[in-house]
C-alpha cells in the first residue's frame, strides 16, 4: 500500500479512468452533503490564507487496459471515495457549462480544458472516453449528462439533483466561476494505492472513517462478498444474484427493505436476532462459521430467500388466498414473523407442504398475533418466539406439528384459548386499538364473504354516543345507572359498528339512528348492522348480547390452535424414546471434531469447580435434539447448540474482567438471574466453534470468575434442583476419552 497527499485536480488529470466497482452502492449524497462541500470550497476560494482544504481519502486498485500500438490507459478501481469523486465530477460539469454559457475567457481555465482534463479522456473511444464510470444504476445518467444528451428513461435521481444543485449555486453565488475553480484547485486528498494480491482491500475499507454518508449494513455486506473476487466473478455474482435482489427490494428507493431482509435472514439462520447495527458483523461470523469454499451458495441462498421476503413485505404473491393472508398479517404489523415465514415459504416453494396448508399456517399466525393483542399480551416476546418456532416443525406432519407447537407455548408466549379470547373480545376497549381496529371491523364484516368492502369510506360508529351528558333520551334508555353503563361499555365491541354516515348519526337517540334515511342502521348495507335494525332499545343488556354474538363470530374469524391440551400431550408423547448418552451427543454434535472441542470446555468447567463439586452442583440437560446446557443453580454457565450456521457455545462471564467483547453483543442476564449477581456485571456471550481455538486467556479468566461466583452463590443447590431432566450420565460421557474420541456413534440416524 502506498499513501501520499495529492492535489485533487492533479490526481484526476491525465489519461486514466476511475471505475466504481459493481459492489459499491449507487451515488447517495443528498443536498445536505453537497451543501457542506460547496460551503467549504466557496470559503477557501476567497481565503488567500488557506492554501489547501482536505476532503478525505481515495483508495483504489490500479489496473491497465492495453491499447493498439502498445499504449495503455490506467484503470483505477475505486474502493473508497466514490461519493466525493462523483460529486466533484458533477460540480466540474456544472462549472464547465456555466463558463461556456457566459463565454468566460481565461487562459488558466476554459470549458474545453475542464472537459479534457477532468471529465474525459479525449483521445479514447467508447467507455474509455469517460474519466469516471459509475455503477449500472447511475452510469448512463452521468455519461449522457456529460455529453449533453437526453437523459435515459429511468435516470438516477441523485445524479440529477446534485447537478441541478450545483447549477443553481453557481448562478446565485457571489463567488465567481473562476474563483470557484480556484477553490476546487485547493482540494487535497490522500491518494491510497493498493496492490492486488498483497493488500486486503476489505480490511482497509472497514477501517476508514468516511466523512460522507455512513454505509448501511447491506452496503458493507455487499462489499464483503464481492470486493476480494476477481472482476469476472464480481460481475457474475452481482448480475446473477445481487442486482436482482436490489431491484426486488427497491434498494434505490431507500425503503430499508434490504436491511430488514438481511437481519431477518440471519435471524432465520442463526436462531437469534442481530442488533440493528451489528448485522454486518453477524453476517461475517455466519460466513466464517460455515467455512465455505465459495460464497456463491450463500449468495444464491440469499437471493432465493429474498424472493420469499419480497412476497411477504410487498404482499404480491400471485395466489389470491396467499396474498390476502399476507396482507392481513402485514396490517397487524407483525414483520417479526418473517424469519419463520420465509422458511415456510421456502418449504412451500419446494412442495414440502400444500398450498392449503400454507394458507392455514398464515392464518394461524394471524390468529395467534391478533388473539394476543385482544388479550393484552405484550408483543416484545414475539421476535424470540418466531426466531425459534421453525425447530418445532415436523416435515411429515407440517401443519399439525405447528398447531401442537403453538398449543404447548406457555406463560408470556401462550396462544390464548377460546375462553380467554372470547371473554376479552367482549370486554376489551377495542376502540383504543388504533392500529388494529380498522382491520378488526373489516374482518368481522367480510368473514366468509367474497365481496370486499372499501374501509376508506367507512368509520367506526359508537351506537351509544361518546357524549350523552346532555341527552335525556339516552339517559332514559340506559336507565338510572346510565353513567356506569356508559363508562363500562362505550368503547367495547358490543357498542361499536361501521357506518358511512357518522356525522349524520352523531349523538342522535337510538331509534333515530336506526330509522334515519339514508344511513340509518335499518337502511345499512353492512352485515354488522343487520341485528340493530330489529331492536327497539339499546341498553346494557342489548350491548352485552351483541358483544356475545360478535365474540362467537370472532372465534370463527380468528380460530385457535385447533388442538386440545390432551391432544398436544398425546402428540408429544406418542413416540417415546430413550436415548443413551452417546446418542444424545450424536444428536447435537454432527462432527466428532466439534465434540472434542466441547469436551475440552467441559473439562475446563469441571476443573474450575473441582470434580467433587462439579457432580454436586453442575446440572446437565438435553432439552432438545440440538442443544445441551450446563446449569449451576439459576444460571447457565455453558451451553452448546447446533444451528444452521454450525455449532455455537455460550458462556457466562465477568464483564469487568473482559470488557472488550462489545462486538460480540454480550447479553445481560435476565432479571431473575441478575438478582444473584451481588452487583457484579455478569453477561452471556455466544461464540461459533470456529472462534474457540484458542480462547483468549483473558476471556477464560472472565469465564472462570463467572463460574466460580455462580458456584459460590448456589453452593446450597443440588444439580437435580436446578433443571428438569438432569442427565448426570451426560457429564460422564463428555469426560470419557473413549466415548468422545470414538466417532462410530455419529453414523446413527439423526434428526
Amino acid at each position: 500500500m502506498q499513501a501520499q497527499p495529492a492535489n485533487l485536480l492533479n490526481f484526476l488529470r491525465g489519461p486514466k479512468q476511475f471505475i466504481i466497482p459493481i459492489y459499491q452502492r449507487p451515488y447517495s449524497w443528498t443536498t445536505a452533503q453537497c451543501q457542506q462541500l460547496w460551503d467549504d470550497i466557496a470559503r477557501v476560494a476567497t481565503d488567500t490564507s488557506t492554501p489547501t482544504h482536505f476532503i478525505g481519502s481515495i483508495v483504489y486498485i490500479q489496473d491497465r487496459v492495453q491499447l493498439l500500438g502498445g499504449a495503455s490507459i490506467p484503470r483505477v478501481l475505486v474502493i473508497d471515495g466514490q461519493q466525493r469523486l462523483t460529486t466533484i465530477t458533477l460540480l466540474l460539469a456544472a462549472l464547465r457549462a456555466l463558463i461556456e454559457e457566459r463565454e468566460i475567457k481565461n487562459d488558466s481555465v476554459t470549458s474545453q480544458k475542464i472537459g479534457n482534463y477532468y471529465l474525459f479522456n479525449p483521445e479514447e473511444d467508447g467507455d474509455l472516453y469517460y474519466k469516471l464510470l459509475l455503477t449500472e444504476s447511475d452510469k448512463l445518467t452521468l455519461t449522457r449528462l456529460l455529453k449533453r444528451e437526453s437523459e435515459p428513461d429511468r435516470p438516477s435521481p441523485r445524479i440529477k439533483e446534485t447537478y441541478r444543485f450545483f447549477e443553481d449555486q453557481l448562478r446565485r453565488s457571489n463567488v465567481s466561476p473562476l474563483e470557484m475553480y480556484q477553490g476546487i484547485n485547493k482540494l487535497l486528498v490522500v491518494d491510497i494505492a493498493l496492490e492486488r494480491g498483497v493488500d486486503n482491500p476489505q480490511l482497509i475499507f472497514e477501517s476508514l472513517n468516511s466523512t460522507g454518508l455512513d454505509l448501511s449494513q447491506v452496503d458493507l455486506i455487499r462489499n464483503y462478498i464481492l470486493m476480494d473476487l476477481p472482476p469476472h466473478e464480481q460481475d457474475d455474482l452481482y448480475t446473477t444474484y445481487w442486482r436482482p435482489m436490489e431491484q426486488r427490494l427497491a434498494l434505490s428507493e431507500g425503503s430499508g427493505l434490504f436491511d430488514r431482509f438481511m437481519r431477518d435472514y440471519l435471524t432465520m439462520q442463526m436462531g437469534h436476532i442481530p442488533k440493528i447495527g451489528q448485522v454486518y458483523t453477524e453476517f461475517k461470523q455466519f460466513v466464517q462459521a460455515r467455512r465455505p469454499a465459495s460464497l456463491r451458495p450463500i449468495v444464491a441462498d440469499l437471493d432465493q430467500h429474498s424472493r420469499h421476503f419480497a412476497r411477504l413485505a410487498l404482499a404480491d404473491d400471485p395466489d389470491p388466498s396467499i396474498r390476502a393472508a399476507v396482507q392481513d398479517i402485514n396490517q397487524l404489523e407483525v414483520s417479526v414473523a418473517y424469519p419463520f415465514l420465509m422458511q415456510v415459504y421456502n418449504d412451500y416453494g419446494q412442495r414440502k407442504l400444500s398450498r392449503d396448508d400454507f394458507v392455514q399456517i398464515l392464518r394461524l399466525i394471524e390468529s395467534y398475533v391478533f388473539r394476543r393483542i385482544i388479550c393484552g399480551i405484550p408483543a416484545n416476546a414475539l421476535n424470540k418466539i418466531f426466531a425459534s418456532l421453525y425447530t418445532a416443525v415436523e416435515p411429515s406432519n407440517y401443519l399439525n406439528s405447528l398447531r401442537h407447537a403453538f398449543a404447548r407455548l406457555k406463560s408470556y408466549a401462550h396462544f390464548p384459548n377460546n375462553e380467554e379470547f372470547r371473554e376479552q373480545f367482549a370486554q376489551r376497549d377495542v376502540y383504543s386499538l388504533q392500529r388494529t381496529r380498522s382491520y378488526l371491523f373489516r374482518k368481522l364484516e367480510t368473514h366468509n364473504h367474497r365481496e370486499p368492502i372499501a374501509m376508506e369510506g367507512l368509520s367506526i360508529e359508537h351506537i351509544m354516543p361518546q357524549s350523552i351528558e346532555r341527552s335525556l333520551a339516552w339517559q332514559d334508555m340506559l336507565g338510572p345507572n346510565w353513567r356506569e353503563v356508559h363508562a363500562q361499555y362505550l368503547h367495547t365491541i358490543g357498542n361499536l359498528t361501521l357506518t358511512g354516515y357518522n356525522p349524520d348519526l352523531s349523538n342522535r337517540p337510538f331509534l333515530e339512528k336506526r330509522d334515519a334515511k339514508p344511513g340509518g342502521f335499518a337502511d345499512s348495507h353492512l352485515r354488522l348492522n343487520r341485528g340493530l335494525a330489529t331492536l327497539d332499545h339499546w341498553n346494557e343488556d342489548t350491548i352485552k348480547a351483541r358483544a356475545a354474538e360478535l365474540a362467537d363470530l370472532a372465534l370463527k374469524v380468528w380460530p385457535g390452535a385447533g388442538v386440545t391440551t390432551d391432544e398436544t400431550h398425546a402428540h408429544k408423547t406418542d413416540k417415546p424414546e430413550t436415548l443413551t448418552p452417546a446418542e444424545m451427543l450424536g444428536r447435537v454434535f454432527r462432527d466428532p471434531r466439534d465434540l472434542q472441542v466441547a469436551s475440552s470446555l467441559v473439562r475446563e468447567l469441571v476443573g474450575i469447580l473441582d470434580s467433587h463439586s462439579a457432580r454436586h452442583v453442575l446440572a446437565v440437560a438435553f432439552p432438545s435434539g440440538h442443544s445441551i446446557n450446563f446449569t449451576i443453580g439459576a444460571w447457565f454457565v455453558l451451553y452448546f447448540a447446533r444451528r444452521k450456521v454450525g455449532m455455537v457455545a455460550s458462556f457466562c462471564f465477568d464483564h469487568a474482567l473482559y470488557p472488550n467483547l462489545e462486538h460480540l453483543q454480550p447479553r445481560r442476564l435476565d432479571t431473575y438471574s441478575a438478582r444473584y449477581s451481588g452487583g457484579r456485571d455478569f453477561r452471556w456471550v455466544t461464540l461459533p466453534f470456529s472462534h474457540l481455538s484458542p480462547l483468549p486467556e483473558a476471556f477464560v479468566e472472565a469465564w472462570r470468575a463467572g463460574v466460580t461466583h455462580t458456584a459460590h452463590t448456589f453452593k446450597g443447590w443440588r444439580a437435580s434442583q436446578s433443571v428438569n431432566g438432569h442427565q448426570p450420565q451426560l457429564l460422564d460421557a463428555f469426560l470419557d476419552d473413549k466415548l468422545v474420541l470414538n466417532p462410530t456413534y455419529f453414523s446413527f440416524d439423526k434428526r
Side-chain angles (χ1 to χ4, degrees):
M1 178 177 69
Q2 296 181 350
Q4 57 187 353
N7 175 276
L8 176 62
L9 291 184
N10 290 340
F11 178 72
L12 295 175
R13 193 168 178 172
K16 66 180 69 171
Q17 185 175 64
F18 298 91
I19 299 175
I20 309 304
I22 55 174
Y23 54 78
Q24 296 277 27
R25 62 178 171 175
Y27 179 66
S28 306
W29 270 26
T30 63
T31 300
Q33 280 80 40
C34 296
Q35 182 70 60
Q36 180 180 337
L37 179 64
W38 171 271
D39 292 343
D40 290 342
I41 296 175
R43 185 182 68 255
V44 300
T46 56
D47 184 356
T48 56
S49 65
T50 304
T52 60
H53 177 72
F54 176 67
I55 63 169
S57 59
I58 298 177
V59 185
Y60 60 91
I61 299 175
Q62 185 168 297
D63 291 323
R64 286 185 174 271
V65 176
Q66 200 70 28
L67 304 176
L68 292 176
S72 62
I73 287 286
R75 303 182 79 208
V76 174
L77 199 66
V78 180
I79 304 300
D80 185 67
Q82 64 121 331
Q83 303 290 328
R84 301 181 195 91
L85 275 178
T86 306
T87 306
I88 291 296
T89 296
L90 291 168
L91 173 56
L92 288 168
L95 184 62
R96 176 187 65 148
L98 187 63
I99 289 174
E100 185 173 310
E101 175 187 316
R102 294 183 178 178
E103 298 182 350
I104 297 174
K105 304 296 184 181
N106 187 282
D107 292 338
S108 62
V109 56
T110 65
S111 63
Q112 184 176 5
K113 285 183 177 180
I114 291 176
N116 290 344
Y117 291 170
Y118 313 122
L119 304 178
F120 306 113
N121 294 311
E123 301 300 320
E124 309 303 334
D125 299 316
D127 279 351
L128 285 176
Y129 177 67
Y130 301 98
K131 188 78 71 172
L132 175 65
L133 282 185
L134 300 182
T135 54
E136 183 178 346
S137 59
D138 296 329
K139 174 182 174 182
L140 194 56
T141 303
L142 179 63
T143 55
R144 289 194 176 183
L145 185 153
L146 294 179
K147 292 192 72 174
R148 299 167 182 170
E149 297 175 346
S150 61
E151 64 184 34
D153 294 336
R154 298 184 63 183
S156 166
R158 289 289 168 83
I159 295 289
K160 289 178 55 180
E161 289 169 9
T162 297
Y163 182 76
R164 289 172 180 171
F165 169 80
F166 286 134
E167 271 191 323
D168 183 59
Q169 291 294 105
L170 285 166
R171 294 181 188 282
R172 295 190 300 108
S173 176
N174 294 326
V175 181
S176 71
L178 294 181
E179 288 175 323
M180 203 65 198
Y181 177 79
Q182 294 303 319
I184 298 173
N185 199 30
K186 291 183 178 182
L187 298 182
L188 192 70
V189 296
V190 175
D191 171 354
I192 303 178
L194 306 182
E195 184 177 348
R196 189 180 296 279
V198 176
D199 297 310
N200 188 326
Q202 178 64 29
L203 292 179
I204 295 171
F205 178 81
E206 290 179 19
S207 67
L208 292 173
N209 181 22
S210 174
T211 58
L213 283 176
D214 290 337
L215 291 173
S216 72
Q217 297 294 296
V218 167
D219 291 331
L220 294 168
I221 290 171
R222 182 186 60 244
N223 293 356
Y224 174 75
I225 289 173
L226 298 175
M227 185 177 288
D228 289 339
L229 297 176
H232 69 281
E233 290 186 31
Q234 289 179 358
D235 291 340
D236 183 30
L237 278 184
Y238 181 80
T239 304
T240 305
Y241 300 116
W242 199 272
R243 179 60 178 165
M245 283 194 285
E246 289 180 338
Q247 295 173 327
R248 192 175 297 127
L249 300 175
L251 179 66
S252 61
E253 298 176 11
S255 64
L257 278 184
F258 210 152
D259 283 294
R260 282 177 49 199
F261 160 67
M262 195 62 68
R263 190 178 185 219
D264 285 350
Y265 177 83
L266 289 175
T267 300
M268 176 190 78
Q269 292 285 8
M270 304 180 74
H272 68 270
I273 305 153
K275 292 181 180 178
I276 293 176
Q278 293 291 324
V279 173
Y280 169 55
T281 301
E282 291 266 8
F283 182 81
K284 288 200 298 182
Q285 293 176 4
F286 162 69
V287 172
Q288 290 163 5
R290 287 193 165 194
R291 309 181 186 116
S294 166
L295 287 176
R296 189 180 192 90
I298 293 177
V299 181
D301 194 57
L302 279 169
D303 176 56
Q304 178 68 22
H305 282 88
S306 75
R307 300 172 189 271
H308 309 319
F309 181 89
R311 291 288 192 215
L312 292 167
L314 305 177
D316 62 356
D317 194 285
D319 185 293
S321 295
I322 295 174
R323 184 170 63 249
V326 172
Q327 287 172 341
D328 286 341
I329 288 174
N330 287 346
Q331 193 166 357
L332 289 174
E333 299 183 12
V334 65
S335 59
V336 292
Y338 283 10
F340 168 72
L341 289 176
M342 279 195 292
Q343 296 176 92
V344 181
Y345 232 125
N346 196 56
D347 289 342
Y348 169 62
Q350 296 179 7
R351 301 189 177 183
K352 294 181 180 179
L353 72 159
S354 68
R355 174 259 192 191
D356 289 343
D357 280 359
F358 184 36
V359 173
Q360 287 190 64
I361 288 172
L362 292 171
R363 292 303 182 187
L364 188 63
I365 299 297
E366 177 191 4
S367 289
Y368 175 62
V369 173
F370 182 73
R371 283 190 173 212
R372 289 169 59 87
I373 292 172
I374 291 298
C375 293
I377 304 173
N380 55 3
L382 287 177
N383 51 7
K384 294 183 180 179
I385 294 168
F386 285 116
S388 60
L389 184 60
Y390 187 75
T391 60
V393 170
E394 298 174 9
S396 61
N397 195 22
Y398 212 107
L399 176 59
N400 281 336
S401 66
L402 190 57
R403 291 188 185 279
H404 286 286
F406 271 122
R408 287 195 298 270
L409 294 174
K410 303 297 181 184
S411 185
Y412 63 87
H414 80 283
F415 196 135
N417 60 30
N418 287 347
E419 182 180 358
E420 179 185 5
F421 176 59
R422 190 182 190 282
E423 179 182 356
Q424 291 297 318
F425 190 84
Q427 299 177 0
R428 176 76 190 264
D429 173 0
V430 296
Y431 187 72
S432 64
L433 302 175
Q434 296 187 10
R435 295 189 302 177
T436 310
R437 65 191 187 193
S438 176
Y439 157 87
L440 183 159
F441 282 96
R442 174 178 61 81
K443 294 285 288 187
L444 289 175
E445 175 65 29
T446 61
H447 179 62
N448 281 344
H449 204 286
R450 294 182 180 178
E451 297 177 357
I453 61 171
M455 291 295 295
E456 291 77 11
L458 301 175
S459 60
I460 296 174
E461 167 71 11
H462 288 78
I463 302 169
M464 171 180 61
Q466 296 192 63
S467 176
I468 60 172
E469 293 289 336
R470 299 181 180 180
S471 175
L472 293 178
W474 270 109
Q475 294 172 17
D476 289 342
M477 181 166 282
L478 293 175
N481 61 336
W482 62 270
R483 292 183 185 277
E484 291 78 7
V485 173
H486 187 263
Q488 182 174 351
Y489 296 103
L490 177 64
H491 296 317
T492 62
I493 190 67
N495 189 55
L496 301 174
T497 191
L498 289 174
T499 182
Y501 294 86
N502 187 283
D504 300 317
L505 299 179
S506 188
N507 294 338
R508 296 165 70 176
F510 175 74
L511 293 180
E512 292 185 21
K513 285 189 171 188
R514 185 194 68 181
D515 298 331
K517 290 184 180 294
F521 300 140
D523 188 50
S524 175
H525 297 165
L526 300 174
R527 295 195 294 177
L528 282 174
N529 293 328
R530 289 176 184 174
L532 300 174
T534 61
L535 297 177
D536 295 325
H537 297 86
W538 192 251
N539 53 33
E540 181 177 9
D541 291 337
T542 52
I543 293 173
K544 291 168 65 176
R546 185 169 182 269
E549 178 185 340
L550 292 177
D552 289 338
L553 175 60
L555 293 179
K556 300 175 183 177
V557 179
W558 298 280
V563 292
T564 65
T565 303
D566 291 340
E567 289 173 333
T568 299
H569 180 74
H571 174 81
K572 187 176 181 180
T573 60
D574 59 358
K575 294 181 180 179
E577 62 176 345
T578 301
L579 300 179
T580 67
E583 289 172 330
M584 293 179 190
L585 295 178
R587 289 275 173 98
V588 177
F589 301 97
R590 299 297 178 85
D591 189 326
R593 293 171 297 180
D594 289 336
L595 179 55
Q596 292 176 32
V597 172
S599 175
S600 67
L601 291 172
V602 174
R603 292 171 189 274
E604 180 75 27
L605 176 59
V606 171
I608 296 170
L609 298 168
D610 80 61
S611 180
H612 176 75
S613 297
R615 296 184 186 283
H616 177 73
V617 302
L618 192 60
V620 190
F622 175 70
S624 67
H626 54 78
S627 65
I628 293 175
N629 57 59
F630 295 79
T631 309
I632 299 176
W635 284 0
F636 288 112
V637 291
L638 182 61
Y639 178 85
F640 300 121
R642 174 171 45 80
R643 296 177 178 163
K644 287 189 175 183
V645 297
M647 290 301 304
V648 298
S650 300
F651 306 83
C652 171
F653 73 102
D654 188 335
H655 189 254
L657 294 180
Y658 199 74
N660 58 336
L661 274 177
E662 294 306 318
H663 65 291
L664 296 175
Q665 304 177 51
R667 292 172 288 166
R668 296 187 181 276
L669 300 175
D670 58 45
T671 303
Y672 174 71
S673 296
R675 73 185 186 190
Y676 294 102
S677 67
R680 297 174 69 174
D681 189 5
F682 289 100
R683 302 198 187 182
W684 186 245
V685 69
T686 299
L687 302 171
F689 267 40
S690 59
H691 289 195
L692 302 182
S693 299
L695 281 171
E697 182 60 30
F699 175 73
V700 175
E701 287 300 320
W703 178 43
R704 287 173 182 158
V707 172
T708 302
H709 177 83
T710 306
H712 177 75
T713 301
F714 299 103
K715 60 184 177 182
W717 292 46
R718 293 193 306 274
S720 58
Q721 293 177 315
S722 299
V723 297
N724 293 324
H726 172 44
Q727 305 276 358
Q729 69 274 26
L730 261 180
L731 180 59
D732 295 328
F734 273 107
L735 302 177
D736 186 345
D737 287 336
K738 293 181 180 179
L739 186 60
V740 169
L741 298 178
N742 185 353
T744 57
Y745 59 85
F746 284 87
S747 61
F748 85 102
D749 181 31
K750 298 176 282 290
R751 296 180 187 177

